[in-house]
Amino acid sequence: QSKKYKKVDKPEETVSDTRDITKAQNNLLAICLSKPEHSPKFLENINSDMLIDADAVELLNYLLDAKGIAVKPSKLQKLDDYVKMLLLLYEELYQSLELNELQYEATRLQVKLVEKYVKTKKAVLAQQMRDSSDEKMPELLNKAKKLDQLLN
């Protein structure tokens, strides 16, 4: 006999959440693109599922593959407009910052992206837990535990 749970609507990403994620991803990628030697540290907890735009995911993959070495412009040709926008963003917001301030900002953006990702994934998991049978519960709880570990 399985337990009956009260149905609760799944919280959906709001326009504000999407805007926050997009802003954080673009700012973080702008910093990493402009300071490639620090990008492995700045991107250590970020994965492609946390980003919204296809261009951002592609750039993230290039930066992760480069392992701290500047990405060759020829590899970024498909992303030319996006990269130009990020470089302008960096110039406008971060160019005048000291390295320690830049590290603090990158860490803050990284935390924000991880928190938004965990919040969204946990909402989906909570819905799955409400809808699932008791046999699936340990697996779902394990997924929730892994998400909690991302926050630490």
Side-chain angles (χ1 to χ4, degrees), residues 11 26 34-35 38-39 45 59 69 73 95 98 101 104 107 133 135 146 152:
N26 289 344
S34 299
K35 299 289 183 189
H38 298 288
S39 65
N45 295 319
L59 180 57
I69 299 168
Q95 191 171 31
E98 301 268 333
E101 294 172 308
Y104 173 78
T107 302
S133 62
E135 303 89 55
K146 286 182 181 176
N152 298 328

Side-chain angles (χ1 to χ4, degrees), residues 76-93:
L76 300 176
Q77 209 159 17
K78 287 193 312 191
L79 304 173
D80 192 45
D81 290 339
Y82 184 61
V83 167
K84 285 178 185 174
M85 187 268 304
L86 292 178
L87 292 173
L88 286 171
L89 186 67
Y90 177 84
E91 282 180 28
E92 188 66 31
L93 298 176

Side-chain angles (χ1 to χ4, degrees), residues 49-77:
D49 291 341
M50 296 176 185
L51 306 182
I52 292 178
D53 304 322
D55 287 348
V57 171
E58 195 169 339
L59 180 57
L60 173 70
N61 291 330
Y62 282 131
L63 290 169
L64 292 173
D65 290 344
K67 295 179 175 60
I69 299 168
V71 180
K72 293 183 178 114
S74 61
K75 287 197 172 210
L76 300 176
Q77 209 159 17

Side-chain angles (χ1 to χ4, degrees), residues 24 27-28 31-32 35 38 41-44 46 90 93-94 97-113 115:
N27 288 2
L28 182 60
I31 292 170
C32 292
K35 299 289 183 189
H38 298 288
K41 182 179 183 340
F42 296 160
L43 297 173
E44 67 186 344
I46 303 298
Y90 177 84
L93 298 176
Y94 303 116
L97 294 182
E98 301 268 333
L99 183 58
N100 62 342
E101 294 172 308
L102 206 53
Q103 288 171 326
Y104 173 78
E105 179 66 7
T107 302
R108 188 187 70 75
L109 293 166
Q110 185 183 44
V111 166
K112 187 174 194 169
L113 282 172
E115 285 175 345

